[in-house]
Amino acid sequence: MPSIGISAMHMQLLPNDRVVIYDRTDFGVSNISLPHGKCRPNSTDCSAHSVEYDVVSNSVRPLMVLSNVWCSSGSLMPDGRLVQTGGNGDGERVVRVYKSRDSCNWQETPNGLNEHRWYATNHILPDGRQIIIGGRSAFNYEFYPKTESAIGLPFLVQTNDPRVENNLYPFVFLYPDGNLFIFANNRAILFDYSKNIVLKTYPTMPGGQPSNYPSTGSTVLLPLRIKGETVDGFEVLVCGGAPEGAFDNAQKGVFDGALDT
């Protein structure tokens, strides 16, 4: 495989078996140039910070991304478009849309979000919208396409450790009944977003240690068991993380081991 020229901070497989890849735009030039001698507006940076990899032809096409996608979030829409939101600096309220075609580039909408979103989580909903949850100092959620305002979510305040903000990039899964499982820091809720109601609060994780960014563990929705026309059981597996205080320790050169939970 040829070098793609950028670091894959985020990557997304598209319905046509191509992969869109992007990295932050404020960390210097990349190792791949924009086509036709183009440069980012008001910048001497003529390198690409996003590419599309074509699996079949084993080729890479550089893409123009204007705003900073550093630790942004996104999800695929039902029609195959990648809707990608937020980021840092000039990207914190931007909505970017990418649909894979040979001549397409990112389409960006400044102020496409009600709130700044940095380290938020997006999830597709049954009606085709996306819900966008949390982010740094954003204790609320909103929808794409954009509605009138963001809606407060006290759970994100309750799970926020202001020293390290261990509730970033919350883990989110859609239940078969249309409600959302949301995990942040060391606990989870079942949430009815249509009524803004917490239906269930789950016990705190044994040991009480955090699993969300920056103590990032991993999570997966396990295969659903179907009985007749109903789902029998819904299980989410959360693995690892870092012990409380690990972030502060790392700033002092002391590096704690990851959790083995």
Side-chain angles (χ1 to χ4, degrees), residues 144-217:
Y144 175 85
K146 184 179 177 180
T147 52
E148 290 183 358
S149 61
I151 303 166
L153 183 55
F155 174 69
L156 294 176
V157 178
Q158 296 159 9
T159 54
N160 179 54
D161 182 339
R163 298 169 299 171
V164 292
E165 296 182 280
N166 260 323
N167 65 349
L168 303 177
Y169 278 143
F171 302 148
V172 181
F173 294 102
L174 183 69
Y175 265 48
D177 62 6
N179 296 309
L180 293 173
F181 172 93
I182 304 175
F183 180 100
N185 196 330
N186 57 13
R187 69 195 90 159
I189 59 172
L190 179 63
F191 184 63
D192 183 343
Y193 63 87
S194 65
K195 298 178 181 178
N196 193 29
I197 296 174
V198 175
L199 301 175
K200 183 175 182 178
T201 300
Y202 296 97
T204 300
M205 292 281 280
Q209 299 287 9
S211 293
N212 276 104
Y213 187 90
S215 298
T216 306

Side-chain angles (χ1 to χ4, degrees), residues 77-78 123-131 143-145 147 193-194:
M77 300 295 281
H123 202 296
I124 194 74
L125 298 174
D127 60 9
R129 296 181 299 165
Q130 284 189 33
I131 188 168
F143 300 94
Y144 175 85
T147 52
Y193 63 87
S194 65

Side-chain angles (χ1 to χ4, degrees), residues 86-108:
N88 185 243
D90 63 358
E92 63 184 11
R93 293 181 61 186
V94 174
V95 171
R96 308 168 197 86
V97 178
Y98 183 75
K99 187 165 187 179
S100 178
R101 292 192 184 95
D102 289 341
S103 60
C104 278
N105 239 308
W106 287 99
Q107 303 299 313
E108 304 191 42

